[in-house]
Amino acid sequence: MELNQVSYFLHLADTLNFTAAARLSSVSQPSLTRAIRRLEEELGGPLIHRDGKNSRLTGLGHDVEAEFRRMAVAVKSVRNHSENWAMGRHRVLDIAVAPTVGPREFTAFFKSALAQAPSIEIRLHALQAKEDTSEVLSGKYHACIMPRETRTEHKLEVHPLFRERFVLGCSANHPLAVSETVRGEDLLEFPFVDRLRCEFRDRILDHFAQRGLLMQPRIRSDREDWVQGVVADGHAICILPERSVSARGLVTRPIDGFALERDVVIATVSGSTAPVEIRKIAQLAAGYAWG
């Protein structure tokens, strides 16, 4: 079976006339007729009752038409993607987001960006445990949204988005929620949930250990949603970036003497090797009012 046979048959199904179908297919009528006959031989039965002006599709013809129309849509999609690649455009952009970066800050941004770039579709991925910006250089992702890495890579274009503090996370009904600022020693009175995927986990624990405050985790998890769910629903606490909160009922409070911050960035391949569309998204992100 050849793709031109699919096209010829669909034109024939639309017109039920070999002459008209040949005209739409830009071939001679004998060529179209031979192609349809070869298709019928391959499929094992007639696709059309040939009866002059009363020609009509057979039962097999109707079934084949439905499948061929699905094939035609798929072929068109493949050709569009191929043309986009050839011209340096990527309609579908794969963006990986670090698990510790919450969605709340990005909902309005993506809505705004997609309105300004209607031809773009964004496919969001979770950045896996051992992945970093090297996945952008390899071509697996078009961009990464993540905390700024300490190492520098001249092949990357890194746009800072916003800076955020690390703060206490607790439920809205928690005893510590009534304080504007929480003392470090007060944290020891409540179960601590350890965020295993936190990039600054060791620095956080070291900060308190140096002050004689040994945080004893009662629960450890690499799932941000589980950590926040446990904290939001009870008396446990955690320490997390202030803008990463996504669980309903979870509130944050600054901790006295604790000034750890991180920068969240979007990283793409630098220069003209990056697709035009991802460069536009990165520029929009860099200029966005993150609040």
Side-chain angles (χ1 to χ4, degrees):
M1 185 185 304
E2 300 175 359
L3 288 178
N4 63 348
Q5 290 176 296
V6 174
S7 176
Y8 295 170
F9 177 74
L10 289 177
H11 287 152
L12 182 59
D14 289 336
T15 62
L16 297 178
N17 182 285
F18 281 84
T19 301
R23 188 182 307 113
L24 290 173
S25 303
S26 300
V27 296
S28 67
Q29 181 178 331
S31 295
L32 183 134
T33 300
R34 286 195 296 271
I36 297 299
R37 283 176 177 165
R38 288 198 305 271
L39 186 60
E40 289 176 323
E41 291 171 0
E42 183 175 350
L43 296 178
L47 300 175
I48 184 169
H49 288 297
R50 296 163 172 80
D51 189 15
K53 293 182 179 180
N54 295 318
S55 295
R56 62 193 183 279
L57 295 181
T58 63
L60 176 61
H62 282 293
D63 291 341
V64 168
E65 179 191 11
E67 295 300 325
F68 277 10
R69 292 202 184 278
R70 281 191 280 270
M71 289 175 60
V73 171
V75 169
K76 183 178 179 180
S77 177
V78 169
R79 286 174 174 161
N80 286 340
H81 283 298
S82 176
E83 290 173 2
N84 286 338
W85 273 97
M87 298 178 68
R89 297 195 306 266
H90 295 258
R91 186 178 66 87
V92 178
L93 300 178
D94 291 290
I95 300 178
V97 184
T100 61
V101 176
R104 186 177 63 182
E105 294 292 327
F106 290 89
T107 304
F109 165 69
F110 282 127
K111 180 180 179 181
S112 171
L114 291 173
Q116 297 181 62
S119 65
I120 293 174
E121 174 186 335
I122 294 175
R123 187 160 49 198
L124 295 173
H125 305 265
L127 196 64
Q128 300 303 307
K130 295 184 179 181
E131 292 183 332
D132 54 23
T133 49
S134 60
E135 308 303 330
V136 175
L137 296 175
S138 72
K140 181 176 182 179
Y141 305 124
H142 295 109
C144 284
I145 296 173
M146 59 190 299
R148 184 189 294 274
E149 295 178 334
T150 54
R151 65 184 178 88
T152 58
E153 171 55 67
H154 70 279
K155 295 181 180 180
L156 289 174
E157 191 81 31
V158 179
H159 298 272
L161 304 182
F162 54 81
R163 176 169 291 182
E164 58 183 343
R165 301 174 298 171
F166 279 81
V167 293
L168 168 74
C170 63
S171 76
N173 299 320
H174 197 281
L176 295 180
V178 300
S179 303
E180 291 186 5
T181 301
V182 177
R183 299 184 308 163
E185 52 266 34
D186 293 337
L187 305 182
L188 300 181
E189 299 179 21
F190 303 95
F192 177 64
V193 182
D194 191 2
R195 299 170 53 249
L196 295 177
R197 294 291 294 275
C198 178
E199 302 86 354
F200 295 89
R201 176 173 174 268
D202 291 340
R203 290 176 61 182
I204 292 171
L205 297 178
D206 287 345
H207 169 87
F208 292 106
Q210 290 172 11
R211 288 157 178 78
L213 305 174
L214 298 178
M215 309 294 285
Q216 298 291 338
R218 301 302 305 277
I219 297 177
R220 304 177 190 267
S221 178
D222 59 2
R223 287 274 301 269
E224 287 290 313
D225 55 344
W226 279 70
V227 169
Q228 294 195 27
V230 168
V231 172
D233 290 341
H235 275 254
I237 61 172
C238 68
I239 297 173
L240 76 172
E242 59 186 333
R243 298 187 187 218
S244 70
V245 173
S246 58
R248 185 183 298 274
L250 182 66
V251 299
T252 62
R253 296 292 183 267
I255 303 169
D256 186 40
F258 183 59
L260 182 62
E261 296 180 322
R262 73 173 185 178
D263 291 314
V264 174
V265 303
I266 181 169
T268 67
V269 175
S270 62
S272 59
T273 54
V276 173
E277 287 81 358
I278 197 61
R279 279 185 276 159
K280 181 173 180 63
I281 292 295
Q283 290 166 1
L284 291 172
Y288 186 72
W290 292 96

